[in-house]
Amino acid sequence: MSVEANTRAIEKTVVTDFSDRMSYGSYLDLDTLLSAQKPVSIPEHHDELLFIIQHQTTELWLKLVLHETLAARAALDADDIGTALKCVARVKHIQKTLTEQWSVLATLTPTEYSQFRDFLGNSSGFQSYQYRAVEFVLGNKNAGMLKVFESDPAAHELLSTLLHEPSLYDAFWQSLARQGYDVPASALDRDVTTAYTFNEDLMPLIKFVYENHTEHWAVYEAFEELVDLEENFQLWRFRHMRTVLRTIGMKSGTGGSSGVGFLQKALELTFFPELLAVRTEIGR
């Protein structure tokens, strides 16, 4: 076979002159993006690039997750449940990508990581303000976390704002109330600056929707979409914990946490507890 036979000809209509046109690279600002990986190990360790890119891509996906969850909340504020669920559906696909991404970092062996870990100082994923922002929007609020971001005014302002705003779940119940559902006052008037906790008052309404889902399909579907969202988040947390265990064992985290023990406690946190609890009640 000749070289020409194994070469795809460039079509004449393909644009090749970008002296005065926007190119793929300029649109994506690849010069900035691809120069943002700055290893700090001395001498530079081969595997630090993997570590940096893993976390940078996670932050990019978290930026989109936050963008979509805020849009979903805004849609619920407008009683547009269809648009809200479209945003949630996109988040679910992002979550699957984020969870699978841990398998790449898991190729970093304990020996390899130990050779550049000390150069990280106290930097840690614990300090990801976008991750905290997503948790806040979904209802896992913790005012104490703001202290971590006092040296970053923009991050501190974002988290402070989200702390005082209703969560996605709060907006959901407010929307159902406006649509005529008998949402208890305890769900509508709660202190939105606190972490969401199980509300027994909601159980009759949720059970009613599940048992009469044909007549209340949109709400029934929303319940299940939110359960998917929570389950995906828990799978991400679990995969994170197992990857850390595989890489550093039971060592403390670089940010000062107990490491795996701290991550295990996160598995006990929940966003939409009633939607899980109702499963015990269905069919009784």
Side-chain angles (χ1 to χ4, degrees), residues 248-268:
I248 67 169
M250 300 304 292
K251 295 186 186 74
S252 297
T254 50
S257 75
S258 59
V260 168
F262 183 78
L263 296 176
Q264 285 176 325
K265 292 177 183 176
L267 296 174
E268 300 171 4

Side-chain angles (χ1 to χ4, degrees), residues 11-251:
E11 296 172 346
K12 292 181 180 180
T13 55
V14 171
V15 178
T16 58
D17 180 5
F18 293 96
S19 56
D20 60 355
R21 293 182 176 92
M22 180 172 64
S23 69
Y24 173 83
S26 59
Y27 173 67
L28 296 178
D29 196 8
L30 289 183
D31 287 344
T32 299
L33 183 65
L34 298 180
S35 63
Q37 296 74 47
K38 298 179 173 64
V40 297
S41 55
I42 303 173
E44 182 179 322
H45 193 280
H46 171 81
D47 296 303
E48 191 180 355
L49 184 61
L50 159 63
F51 192 81
I52 293 172
I53 289 177
Q54 170 86 21
H55 289 84
Q56 287 182 339
T57 52
T58 294
E59 290 297 329
L60 286 172
W61 284 123
L62 286 174
K63 182 175 183 177
L64 187 54
V65 168
L66 184 59
H67 177 71
E68 296 295 340
T69 50
L70 289 175
R73 189 183 65 178
L76 289 173
D77 288 341
D79 297 330
D80 184 356
I81 196 169
T83 295
L85 294 186
K86 175 64 169 63
C87 294
V88 169
R90 181 172 291 166
V91 170
K92 286 164 51 179
H93 285 287
I94 298 168
Q95 288 176 308
K96 291 178 181 178
T97 297
L98 283 169
T99 299
E100 182 56 33
Q101 194 168 284
W102 287 117
S103 66
V104 183
L105 192 61
T107 65
L108 182 68
T109 69
T111 302
E112 292 163 345
Y113 184 40
S114 67
Q115 292 170 357
F116 66 87
R117 186 176 188 242
D118 288 345
F119 288 96
L120 305 180
N122 292 124
S123 61
S124 165
F126 178 82
Q127 299 142 20
S128 168
Y129 78 86
Q130 291 195 124
Y131 175 80
R132 298 303 165 192
V134 171
E135 281 201 324
F136 278 22
V137 173
L138 294 181
N140 278 164
K141 298 187 179 184
N142 183 347
M145 283 301 306
L146 268 66
K147 184 175 180 60
V148 178
F149 303 97
E150 287 180 347
S151 61
D152 185 342
H156 189 275
E157 181 180 4
L158 172 64
L159 290 174
S160 180
T161 298
L162 293 175
L163 179 71
H164 291 88
E165 292 178 348
S167 69
L168 179 71
Y169 204 37
D170 292 321
F172 177 67
W173 294 119
Q174 294 282 354
S175 178
L176 290 196
R178 288 191 297 271
Q179 294 175 53
Y181 284 89
D182 187 20
V183 180
S186 56
L188 301 175
D189 302 327
R190 79 175 197 91
D191 180 0
V192 299
T193 66
T194 61
Y196 188 88
T197 56
F198 177 78
N199 185 348
E200 180 68 37
D201 296 343
L202 281 167
M203 293 301 289
L205 172 57
I206 296 172
K207 188 170 185 286
F208 170 79
V209 170
Y210 270 98
E211 292 178 340
N212 299 274
H213 59 275
T214 303
E215 296 86 357
H216 304 277
W217 187 265
V219 179
Y220 172 73
E221 181 184 16
F223 284 169
E224 287 297 288
E225 289 290 315
L226 291 176
V227 170
D228 286 345
L229 189 65
E230 165 137 349
E231 186 171 79
N232 286 348
F233 210 101
Q234 293 290 25
L235 289 172
W236 185 89
R237 283 171 169 164
F238 178 77
R239 194 67 185 272
H240 181 195
M241 182 269 294
R242 294 299 302 184
T243 302
V244 171
L245 178 62
R246 175 176 177 148
T247 309
I248 67 169
M250 300 304 292
K251 295 186 186 74

